[in-house]
Amino acid sequence: SSFDSRIVKDNFIYPNPATEEIHISEDVNYHHYSIQNTIGQEIYVGQDRTIDLSSVKNGVYFITIYDDKVEPISTKKFIKQ
């Protein structure tokens, strides 16, 4: 499987804080991601490396990347401002 490595660098998204969009690093192998707010509500799911945040309210969010078996690989907190 291409998802054997569980080691993901801490900073797999950039920029953080973000204004218009965030990007998932090219060297990170993942199947899809999910963005949650601070109370755990899923607000966005996708696969693209560039994530448009223009319709997201300013605040703190969490992005989790998943492998092809829907197992979480890593979660990172980010700020939309």
Side-chain angles (χ1 to χ4, degrees), residues 2 26-27 67:
S2 58
E26 288 295 328
D27 58 352
D67 67 15

Side-chain angles (χ1 to χ4, degrees), residues 10-74:
D10 185 47
N11 236 356
F12 67 85
I13 57 164
Y14 63 92
N16 187 9
T19 52
E20 293 297 313
E21 59 189 24
I22 57 172
H23 306 276
I24 299 175
S25 299
E26 288 295 328
D27 58 352
V28 173
N29 204 357
Y30 70 100
H31 180 264
H32 70 280
Y33 63 82
S34 164
I35 295 176
Q36 306 89 32
N37 60 21
T38 53
I39 59 172
Q41 294 171 314
E42 192 171 73
I43 61 164
Y44 200 75
V45 175
Q47 292 182 301
D48 296 333
R49 287 194 184 270
T50 298
I51 304 159
D52 180 9
L53 298 175
S54 57
S55 63
V56 176
K57 292 179 182 167
N58 290 358
V60 176
Y61 296 90
F62 296 90
I63 180 168
T64 303
I65 51 175
Y66 295 89
D67 67 15
D68 54 352
K69 295 177 179 62
V70 199
E71 293 290 329
I73 299 169
S74 186

